[in-house]
Amino acid sequence: GAVVSQHPSWVICKSGTSVKIECRSLDFQATTMFWYRQFPKQSLMLMATSNEGSKATYEQGVEKDKFLINHASLTLSTLTVTSAHPEDSSFYICSAPLAGGRYEQFFGPGTRLTVL
Amino acid sequence: GESVGLHLPTLSVQEGDNSIINCAYSNSASDYFIWYKQESGKGPQFIIDIRSNMDKRQGQRVTVLLNKTVKHLSLQIAATQPGDSAVYFCADSEYLPSYGKLTFGQGTILTVHP
């Protein structure tokens, strides 16, 4: 199957700093990628849809100025958590569907963010 | 699925037993349903999917049942093994306009005892 990677796999930062998380499709092109957030022992919640060459679409309640998304190429989307606070500590997961009308999505391994 | 942010329900079984994990979804327009397995600290892993024009689909040791009337999905795992221990999520998606946009259910923690 197709492979999606994320970097870093974990990050610890101080409150007030910004953190960038990368999501890459390694062997296929993805015009769309999705970013999810998962708190401990909870389900995945969709944050935003990242669109190559255009603005991201954010879900209700997600601050677009706090969670900056850039989909600069067909294989890379980045999520930047700006001015991170302890409540932003979570597991961030990206996914990418294969093009061509298929539904299947491939998920990255996730990034554990801890804000001190 | 219906995700309400609550702590996950659990299911404990003995090795070799069959497991049944249930899920409810709320969107009548959903056309595609998927079961994912998530191990600790990892991303979701695809298990099996089913389209809305089907009510049953079988894979290797797994079967998914779909009841559109009551918006219910189940995953059956035959001869459950310790390696099946994980969190299982259902997800659903409409075909259009939100192509690929998944809504996840709350998940179930499956623990398999040797």
Side-chain angles (χ1 to χ4, degrees):
Chain A
V3 177
V4 174
S5 70
Q6 283 184 239
H7 178 80
S9 56
W10 60 270
V11 57
I12 301 173
C13 70
K14 292 182 179 180
S15 185
T17 61
S18 295
V19 174
K20 180 185 286 188
I21 302 170
E22 293 185 348
C23 177
R24 291 182 186 273
S25 55
L26 297 186
D27 49 1
F28 67 102
Q29 294 182 333
T31 55
T32 301
M33 291 182 175
F34 300 93
W35 286 96
Y36 295 85
R37 180 167 52 183
Q38 185 178 31
F39 292 108
K41 298 197 182 301
Q42 293 190 21
S43 187
L44 283 76
M45 296 295 292
L46 180 66
M47 297 175 66
T49 303
S50 174
N51 304 298
E52 189 270 334
S54 65
K55 291 182 179 180
T57 305
Y58 291 81
E59 295 300 300
Q60 190 173 8
V62 178
E63 301 174 57
K64 63 179 181 180
D65 294 330
K66 180 169 182 63
F67 298 99
L68 301 179
I69 291 173
N70 183 23
H71 198 141
S73 76
L74 288 171
T75 59
L76 173 64
S77 174
T78 60
L79 169 68
T80 300
V81 183
T82 63
S83 186
H85 291 285
E87 58 265 31
D88 298 323
S89 298
S90 189
F91 195 50
Y92 291 87
I93 306 171
C94 70
S95 73
L98 278 174
R102 293 185 58 185
Y103 290 97
E104 186 174 356
Q105 289 192 28
F106 297 92
F107 283 82
T111 297
R112 173 75 59 193
L113 170 63
T114 302
V115 185
L116 302 177
Chain B
E2 293 182 342
S3 179
V4 295
L6 301 176
H7 291 282
L8 306 178
T10 61
L11 174 64
S12 292
V13 301
Q14 290 296 127
E15 182 178 2
D17 288 351
N18 295 332
S19 302
I20 299 177
I21 300 171
N22 297 302
C23 176
Y25 65 95
S26 58
N27 188 354
S28 299
S30 289
D31 181 55
Y32 183 64
F33 305 87
I34 317 104
W35 280 100
Y36 288 97
K37 173 185 180 183
Q38 186 180 29
E39 296 176 319
S40 182
K42 297 183 180 179
Q45 177 184 2
F46 175 89
I47 301 174
I48 192 168
D49 59 8
I50 189 168
R51 290 287 302 274
S52 61
N53 60 352
M54 302 171 67
D55 53 21
K56 180 179 180 179
R57 190 165 185 224
Q58 288 185 293
Q60 187 175 12
R61 283 202 306 120
V62 294
T63 301
V64 55
L65 299 177
L66 174 63
N67 185 330
K68 295 181 290 294
T69 302
V70 296
K71 298 191 189 67
H72 184 268
L73 197 65
S74 69
L75 176 70
Q76 300 177 1
I77 305 174
T80 316
Q81 303 168 1
D84 295 327
S85 295
V87 181
Y88 289 81
F89 293 98
C90 68
D92 60 276
S93 175
E94 295 182 32
Y95 176 63
L96 289 172
S98 52
Y99 167 73
K101 185 174 172 180
L102 297 175
T103 300
F104 278 80
Q106 69 174 133
T108 297
I109 301 173
L110 175 64
T111 303
V112 183
H113 301 284

